[in-house]
Amino acid sequence: MIISMPFLSIWFRRTNAMLITGSFMLLLLLAGSIIAPLLFALDPLAIDATRKLEAPSATYLLGTDEFGRDTFARIVYGAHVSLRVAFAATALTAVVGIILGTVSGQSRLADAIIGRISDSLLVFPGFVLAIMILAAIGPAEINVVLAVFLLYVPRVIRTVRASVIEFITADFVQAARSVGIGNFRLLAVHVLPNATGPVMVQLSFGFAWAILVEAGLSFLGLGLPPPSPSWGNMISDAREFIRTAPWLMFAPGAMISLAVLSLNLIGDGLRDMLDPRLQNKINL
Amino acid sequence: MLTYAIRRVLAFVPTIFITLTLIFVVTRLVPGSPVWALIGNQSVDAARMEEITRQLGLDRPILEQYLEWLPRVVTGDFGQSIFFGRPVAEIILERMPITFALTLLAMIVTIAVGIPLGILAAIRRGGFLDYIGNIFSSLGMALPSFWLGFMLILIFAVELQWLPASGYRPLEFGFWPWLSRMILPVIALSLAQIGLIARMTRSTMIEVLGMDYVTMARAKGLREHVVILKHALKNAMIQIITVIGLTFALGLGGSVIIENVFALPGLGQLITTAAIRRDYPTLEGGIFYLTLVALVTNLIVDLAYAYFNPRVRYGK
């Protein structure tokens, strides 16, 4: 089954600068957010009224906010919060997207229903749909995950559906069917592995996008409720002090950009690797 | 062309109904009575509570509510805003021009910068300009637009004091007071889109430049700028037009957050305040109008695309 995943074999054949840079940046980010709490005593919620709005110093690397909370600690734990939300949304999108995409690639009736619903989810510009959902069910971590999932799942469904339709009629799949392989095994072993590449590309962009949407929603006051140290919340809190304590604004935005950039690079790298047409163009 | 246009416009009708139905369903997902969410922590007597419930028609069965709501909103009547106490349509009409101006300006900037950047990157592929353009567009797409907005405020309003930090002045106060408050939001909104459109233009141009007719034009001995502008770009434009429409729709979505950064009293700001205050009639109306503009833009793009590319009209 591993051999039938096309992206793995190409992985080793072609070195890919974007993919490597992106993966390296993401690993660095993840490692930093895991190791930092082990090395330093960090508490993102500890309030110290005597040290409000302090500029960056040796004790407080990134200064303190209006409650005297350590910005560095909040950035580190913000990585946990923001990446957790984005990861949960992406994982949910992957599972549901693959299942619904497979179903709609196989049955005409299901395709009509699922297709219509996912098309209508895509009608709303930007994350207006997410704003509407969160206004109705209230700001909470799980609700943000749900909203981001609903916004992105139509794209994954489409990608999986296209691959299923393309490969279900392929000779090697028909051959497998004629040997008497059951429908489930046929899909899981012979058809779906062909969708791995395109879906991986979709999901890395989706992950990046989820981070941006979560930050945006939190910034608007519709995402994670305070005092959660999500990066979007930190930017939202910092706006009041943009003239007096601008350093509060720098770090969370830089972290969001770094995370999104690394995931976009991974997505671009994967796509270049998987799309032979694009490869030829680059080699021209 | 006419048959295609008619078919496309007819397909527009069910989309509107589905959009409205989705808005209706989502805003009524609230567990319990939305009236509680609406009044929040205020202490309100039972009579007022009942009045709001009746005013919103929430005492009737959901299907009946829908059947009453749908024909009403199709005519543009979303009822009274709970917070503002005025008709929703009136508030939206006041705010629409601001959002429209912001999105339109951002689109113009995006096209003026993005397309030439993409063409230059395609011509000088692998060169210095391509490299810089690539970094620029990758960064542009990674920076959260609202954070970029604050950085612009910090640099141009707080430090350099060249432009006002936020707020809005109607055109009646003069062109510069109006424009000076639009410049920073437009930059914040267009940067990500410039990256996107530059990339699309670049890849489309590269594809077209590899076509036989371009090689043919070169073989005829035509000058390079003639080959690029008359032969390649003209064909690439078909693809790029689609992206321009996409940019406008993206800008509408992005304006929601940018208007909040720069305190521009547009439709996006209305939607977010309505969402936070749970002013449902305003929220429903705001979202519908914003979505409608995006849908109409898409329709125009589709028609333009079919006009420039006959294959779309005849093919299925």
Side-chain angles (χ1 to χ4, degrees):
Chain A
M1 190 168 160
I2 288 172
I3 303 157
S4 64
M5 287 184 180
F7 74 93
L8 272 183
S9 52
I10 309 170
W11 189 302
F12 295 110
R13 238 189 293 138
R14 247 180 88 87
T15 47
N16 186 312
M18 280 194 284
L19 186 65
I20 292 169
T21 318
S23 313
F24 183 71
M25 278 164 61
L26 190 66
L27 275 177
L28 209 67
L29 198 87
L30 285 173
S33 72
I34 293 167
I35 294 167
L38 304 175
L39 295 181
F40 312 101
L42 296 175
D43 187 347
L45 301 177
I47 292 172
D48 185 351
T50 60
R51 318 201 70 152
K52 285 181 192 169
L53 295 173
E54 273 186 23
S57 64
T59 0
Y60 295 109
L61 281 177
L62 296 171
T64 60
D65 68 4
E66 76 270 31
F67 297 110
R69 294 179 299 202
D70 180 5
T71 307
F72 181 69
R74 288 180 72 72
I75 283 290
V76 170
Y77 281 93
H80 295 195
V81 176
S82 298
L83 295 179
R84 181 175 67 220
V85 171
F87 180 79
T90 313
L92 189 64
T93 308
V95 173
V96 177
I98 289 170
I99 293 172
L100 292 184
T102 314
V103 172
S104 52
Q106 284 205 296
S107 134
R108 261 171 193 267
L109 179 69
D111 190 27
I113 298 168
I114 295 170
R116 191 37 71 84
I117 294 174
S118 53
D119 278 356
S120 51
L121 289 176
L122 287 174
V123 156
F124 299 95
F127 53 89
V128 167
L129 180 66
I131 292 177
M132 187 162 72
I133 293 169
L134 286 163
I137 56 182
E141 193 170 317
I142 181 80
N143 295 348
V144 175
V145 171
L146 202 71
V148 174
F149 152 74
L150 278 176
L151 256 68
Y152 209 71
V153 78
R155 291 162 224 271
V156 178
I157 293 178
R158 272 189 194 174
T159 311
V160 176
R161 176 184 172 274
S163 288
V164 169
I165 289 176
E166 187 185 341
F167 285 100
I168 200 98
T169 51
D171 287 343
F172 69 92
V173 176
Q174 292 306 320
R177 196 193 290 277
S178 69
V179 190
I181 288 174
N183 204 28
F184 182 78
R185 200 181 141 81
L186 195 74
L187 283 170
V189 178
H190 298 275
V191 177
L192 282 180
N194 294 295
T196 317
V199 169
M200 294 266 292
V201 175
Q202 274 283 348
L203 289 179
S204 35
F205 289 130
F207 200 134
W209 196 71
I211 293 173
L212 282 177
V213 172
E214 183 274 315
L217 288 170
S218 294
F219 166 71
L220 292 177
L222 291 161
L224 307 190
S228 175
S230 120
W231 292 332
N233 277 348
M234 293 179 71
I235 295 180
S236 175
D237 293 341
R239 68 186 299 185
E240 250 184 274
F241 308 100
I242 189 165
R243 284 166 200 273
T244 48
W247 61 85
L248 288 175
M249 190 67 91
F250 297 144
M255 292 305 280
I256 296 172
S257 312
L258 196 68
V260 173
L261 183 64
S262 66
L263 285 157
N264 278 346
L265 284 174
I266 292 175
D268 281 334
L270 282 175
R271 190 178 44 197
D272 280 6
M273 220 165 56
L274 294 163
D275 192 339
R277 272 195 320 150
L278 223 63
Q279 249 177 49
N280 290 340
K281 259 184 242 158
I282 288 159
N283 293 339
L284 261 177
Chain B
M1 183 64 203
L2 193 65
T3 348
Y4 177 81
I6 291 170
R7 213 170 56 205
R8 205 50 201 78
V9 172
L10 282 180
F12 195 63
V13 178
T15 315
I16 296 288
F17 276 97
I18 292 168
T19 311
L20 282 169
T21 308
L22 212 62
I23 291 175
F24 181 85
V25 171
V26 171
T27 47
R28 276 155 189 78
L29 277 177
V30 206
S33 168
V35 182
W36 279 117
L38 205 73
I39 56 179
N41 298 324
Q42 308 161 37
S43 52
V44 173
D45 56 69
R48 172 79 182 130
M49 184 80 187
E50 213 164 288
E51 193 197 317
I52 299 175
T53 312
R54 231 192 354 267
Q55 193 191 336
L56 292 174
L58 295 167
D59 48 345
R60 285 172 297 152
I62 192 99
L63 193 70
E64 200 182 308
Q65 285 182 42
Y66 176 69
L67 291 176
E68 187 270 330
W69 182 84
L70 193 64
R72 190 162 53 84
V73 296
V74 165
T75 62
D77 176 16
F78 280 85
Q80 293 274 118
S81 159
I82 294 162
F83 183 78
F84 296 98
R86 292 166 50 206
V88 169
E90 206 179 287
I91 304 171
I92 288 171
L93 273 178
E94 266 170 32
R95 287 166 171 255
M96 189 79 106
I98 300 172
T99 305
F100 218 77
L102 175 66
T103 315
L104 208 64
L105 285 175
M107 189 178 88
I108 293 169
V109 171
T110 306
I111 293 167
V113 181
I115 292 182
L117 204 68
I119 295 174
L120 286 174
I123 300 171
R124 303 247 177 281
R125 187 150 37 104
F128 181 69
L129 208 76
D130 191 14
Y131 189 66
I132 294 293
N134 196 8
I135 291 177
F136 179 76
S137 59
S138 298
L139 275 179
M141 284 191 276
L143 297 179
S145 62
F146 56 101
W147 185 66
L148 179 70
F150 285 123
M151 291 299 113
L152 291 172
I153 292 177
L154 207 56
I155 298 168
F156 294 102
V158 178
E159 287 299 321
L160 298 172
Q161 304 200 337
W162 287 353
L163 294 162
S166 61
Y168 179 74
R169 288 277 179 288
L171 262 174
E172 294 90 76
F173 288 79
F175 183 68
W176 176 245
W178 174 79
L179 187 71
S180 63
R181 284 169 179 81
M182 290 300 243
I183 292 175
L184 295 183
V186 166
I187 297 174
L189 189 56
S190 48
L191 198 73
Q193 296 168 23
I194 290 174
L196 187 76
I197 207 164
R199 281 185 166 207
M200 297 279 222
T201 309
R202 178 183 178 274
S203 63
T204 312
M205 275 302 273
I206 288 176
E207 198 171 319
V208 172
L209 283 173
M211 294 280 178
D212 289 343
Y213 58 80
V214 172
T215 316
M216 175 67 192
R218 283 206 179 111
K220 278 196 297 187
L222 293 179
R223 285 195 197 140
E224 190 60 18
H225 70 264
V226 177
V227 174
I228 285 165
L229 292 179
K230 281 197 82 176
H231 294 250
L233 185 63
K234 222 171 168 181
N235 284 290
M237 265 332 262
I238 298 172
Q239 294 292 329
I240 295 169
I241 284 173
T242 340
V243 187
I244 291 172
L246 187 80
T247 314
F248 192 76
L250 272 177
L252 281 174
S255 70
V256 173
I257 205 157
I258 290 297
E259 284 175 10
N260 278 288
V261 173
F262 291 95
L264 292 174
L267 208 50
Q269 204 202 36
L270 183 72
I271 290 172
T272 26
T273 33
I276 291 165
R277 288 177 184 139
R278 305 207 165 192
D279 183 349
Y280 288 105
T282 313
L283 183 65
E284 288 170 355
I287 287 181
F288 178 66
Y289 276 95
L290 196 72
T291 310
L292 187 68
V293 176
L295 281 171
V296 171
T297 316
N298 271 336
L299 181 69
I300 295 170
V301 171
D302 274 3
L303 293 179
Y305 189 60
Y307 179 76
F308 287 112
N309 189 359
R311 273 175 300 180
V312 178
R313 271 178 264 160
Y314 302 116
K316 181 79 178 75

